[in-house]
C-alpha cells in the first residue's frame, strides 16, 4: 500500500541533544511538508519542499533543520536550539504542491523531553 | 495573513443527531478549502475538499459547501455515529508558501450511544 511512514512513533530527547525524525513516502509525490501540532491547536508549518534538493522555511522554522536528498525522504532534525520541542510532529506530502491537491499525512511522531 | 476560525468544542451529540461544525476563513485570493479528521494517536485524513466558490465537497455522509460571500465552509452530517468521534480540522491552502495548509484549531466531536 502507498503511504507515508513516520518513525519512530515516540521519541525522547535529552537537554542539548539533536534528534532526527524520519519521514518516507512511496506515493511518488514531489512536495513534502513538516507540521507541528500542540494540544488544542491546529498544525503549524515548519518546513516544506517542493522538489528534491530544495526546501523552504515555514512559519516556525527556528530550531529545526531538514534535508531533501531523495524524492521519497524528508527527515526533520530538532536541534538543541529548539527550546520547547515537546509536540506531535506530522509529515505530509502532495502530488505537486498545487493548491487543489490534498495533502496526505503520516501517523506522526510524539517528541518529549526527558 | 490567511487564517481559519472554527467553532470551539467539544461538541457532544447523541447517535443519529445532526452535526454542524462552523468554519470561517480569511484569505487573499481564492484558496482551496479542506476538512481533515484526526482519530486519537493518528495523523490527519482528508475528509473532503472544495476548490472554488459554490463547490460542495462530500464523503462518508459529510458535506461542506464553499461559500465565498460568507467566507465559510461549514461541515454537516445528517446522522452521526459513535465512530465519527474524532477531532475535525478545517483548513485552507495558502499559495504563497508552497500551498501550505493553514489550519483552524480543531473541533473535538464526541458521539454518545
Amino acid at each position: 500500500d502507498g503511504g507515508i511512514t513516520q518513525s519512530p512513533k515516540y521519541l525522547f530527547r535529552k537537554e542539548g541533544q539533536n534528534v532526527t525524525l524520519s519521514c518516507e513516502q512511496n506515493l511518488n509525490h514531489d512536495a513534502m511538508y513538516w507540521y507541528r501540532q500542540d494540544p488544542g491547536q491546529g498544525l503549524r508549518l515548519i518546513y516544506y519542499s517542493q522538489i528534491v534538493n530544495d526546501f523552504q522555511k515555514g512559519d516556525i522554522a527556528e530550531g529545526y533543520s531538514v534535508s531533501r536528498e531523495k524524492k521519497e525522504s524528508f527527515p526533520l532534525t530538532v536541534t538543541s536550539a529548539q527550546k520547547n520541542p515537546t509536540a506531535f510532529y506530522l509529515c505530509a506530502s502532495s502530488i505537486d504542491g498545487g493548491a487543489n491537491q490534498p495533502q496526505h499525512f503520516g501517523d506522526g511522531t510524539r517528541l518529549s523531553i526527558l | 495573513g490567511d487564517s481559519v476560525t472554527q467553532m470551539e468544542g467539544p461538541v457532544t451529540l447523541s447517535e443519529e443527531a445532526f452535526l454542524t461544525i462552523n468554519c470561517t476563513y480569511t484569505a487573499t485570493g481564492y484558496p482551496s478549502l479542506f476538512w481533515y479528521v484526526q482519530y486519537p494517536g493518528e495523523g490527519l485524513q482528508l475528509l473532503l475538499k472544495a476548490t472554488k466558490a459554490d463547490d460542495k465537497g462530500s464523503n462518508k455522509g459529510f458535506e461542506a459547501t464553499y461559500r465565498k460571500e460568507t467566507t465559510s465552509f461549514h461541515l454537516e452530517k445528517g446522522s452521526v455515529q459513535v465512530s465519527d468521534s474524532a477531532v475535525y480540522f478545517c483548513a485552507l491552502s495558502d499559495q504563497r508558501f508552497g500551498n501550505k495548509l493553514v489550519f483552524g484549531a480543531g473541533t473535538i466531536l464526541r458521539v454518545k450511544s
Side-chain angles (χ1 to χ4, degrees):
Chain A
D1 284 340
I4 298 178
T5 302
Q6 290 188 241
S7 62
K9 193 169 178 67
Y10 300 96
L11 187 58
F12 298 92
R13 194 190 90 169
K14 295 179 181 179
E15 294 288 342
Q17 186 182 43
N18 293 352
V19 292
T20 298
L21 285 61
S22 170
C23 177
E24 303 279 331
Q25 54 99 358
N26 60 4
L27 299 167
N28 200 32
H29 285 177
D30 285 323
M32 297 187 74
Y33 307 81
W34 273 106
Y35 293 91
R36 170 179 170 141
Q37 184 178 23
D38 292 285
Q41 298 185 33
L43 284 67
R44 292 179 291 168
L45 182 69
I46 305 172
Y47 269 97
Y48 67 97
S49 167
Q50 293 184 289
I51 197 168
V52 174
N53 292 323
D54 186 52
F55 49 83
Q56 306 295 331
K57 293 182 179 180
D59 298 319
I60 54 166
E62 186 174 348
Y64 300 97
S65 66
V66 294
S67 62
R68 186 85 188 277
E69 298 175 1
K70 298 185 296 182
K71 186 175 185 177
E72 57 270 23
S73 178
F74 191 41
L76 173 74
T77 296
V78 183
T79 74
S80 56
Q82 173 49 246
K83 297 307 179 188
N84 183 24
T86 298
F88 191 47
Y89 291 86
L90 286 159
C91 179
S93 71
S94 68
I95 290 176
D96 57 10
N100 298 337
Q101 298 299 330
Q103 292 181 18
H104 300 260
F105 286 80
D107 283 339
T109 293
R110 190 166 299 279
L111 176 62
S112 303
I113 296 297
L114 280 179
Chain B
D2 294 357
S3 66
V4 174
T5 302
Q6 289 180 236
M7 64 187 288
E8 288 191 24
V11 174
T12 303
L13 297 173
S14 297
E15 209 165 19
E16 299 184 3
F18 186 85
L19 168 71
T20 299
I21 300 178
N22 290 339
C23 171
T24 57
Y25 67 90
T26 302
T28 53
Y30 303 97
S32 293
L33 301 174
F34 304 86
W35 276 101
Y36 282 85
V37 59
Q38 185 178 34
Y39 298 99
E42 298 184 7
L44 277 67
Q45 299 175 25
L46 177 69
L47 185 58
L48 53 84
K49 72 173 187 178
T51 59
K52 61 182 187 298
D54 300 324
D55 264 3
K56 177 187 279 189
S58 61
N59 185 27
K60 299 180 182 179
F62 291 90
E63 293 183 340
T65 301
Y66 190 142
R67 300 284 188 203
K68 183 168 173 288
E69 63 277 13
T70 54
T71 62
S72 65
F73 193 53
H74 305 321
L75 182 69
E76 296 182 336
K77 186 176 185 184
S79 176
V80 293
Q81 306 300 312
V82 172
S83 58
D84 293 327
S85 299
V87 183
Y88 292 82
F89 291 95
C90 184
L92 62 82
S93 62
D94 186 339
Q95 297 178 7
R96 297 168 299 164
F97 297 100
N99 291 305
K100 73 167 185 177
L101 290 174
V102 176
F103 287 88
T107 302
I108 297 172
L109 172 64
R110 297 183 180 135
V111 181
K112 305 179 299 182
S113 60

